Amino acid sequence: MRIGELAARTGMSKDTIRFYEKVGLVAGDRLGNGYRDFAPEVVEWLHYVRTAQTLGFTLAEIARHGEELRDAPDTAVALSALFGEKIQILDNRLAELSALRADLAARAGTGCPLHRATKEGAA
């Protein structure tokens, strides 16, 4: 199918699909007239890409893990493992953000928020 039809079937813009092609997420054959021709399976793949992005995966992660998932004997188990890894990354980031928030809260109202917070006036 041509890029216009693919865009219509996925709800993506042609520019988005061209970008995904440029970064290696999708591949289309070039016809003699220079038009792109995409396989029907690309529609499902692009829906997967959008869903994965919504779940917080980067395009680099999607590209890297897409090949792993295609080759996995059990994609449900492979996806669950990827989700578990992403959850761990998010938990770590949440802990970092919580510590940052506590540090900022301790510095707020101390006169110069860039100085280290002191406990009960100790310098």
Side-chain angles (χ1 to χ4, degrees), residues 48-58 61-62 79 82-83 86-87 90:
Y48 169 82
V49 169
R50 275 293 156 105
T51 301
Q53 282 185 296
T54 301
L55 293 173
F57 289 88
T58 65
E61 289 171 326
I62 295 166
L79 268 174
L82 288 176
F83 291 168
K86 192 65 169 180
I87 290 168
L90 290 172

Side-chain angles (χ1 to χ4, degrees), residues 17-35:
I17 295 168
R18 286 185 193 105
F19 176 75
Y20 288 170
E21 186 178 28
K22 181 179 176 182
V23 299
L25 279 173
V26 295
D29 295 327
R30 288 290 182 160
L31 301 175
N33 59 9
Y35 291 163

Side-chain angles (χ1 to χ4, degrees), residues 7-79:
R9 290 181 65 186
T10 60
M12 295 180 182
S13 71
K14 292 180 202 176
D15 287 339
T16 298
I17 295 168
R18 286 185 193 105
F19 176 75
Y20 288 170
E21 186 178 28
K22 181 179 176 182
V23 299
L25 279 173
V26 295
D29 295 327
R30 288 290 182 160
L31 301 175
N33 59 9
Y35 291 163
R36 292 170 176 84
D37 184 43
F38 295 93
E41 302 82 47
V42 174
V43 173
E44 185 178 339
W45 171 246
L46 288 177
H47 286 299
Y48 169 82
V49 169
R50 275 293 156 105
T51 301
Q53 282 185 296
T54 301
L55 293 173
F57 289 88
T58 65
L59 291 178
E61 289 171 326
I62 295 166
R64 182 173 57 248
H65 296 307
E67 291 180 22
E68 294 172 16
L69 291 174
R70 278 192 283 269
D71 297 335
D74 185 342
T75 55
V77 170
L79 268 174

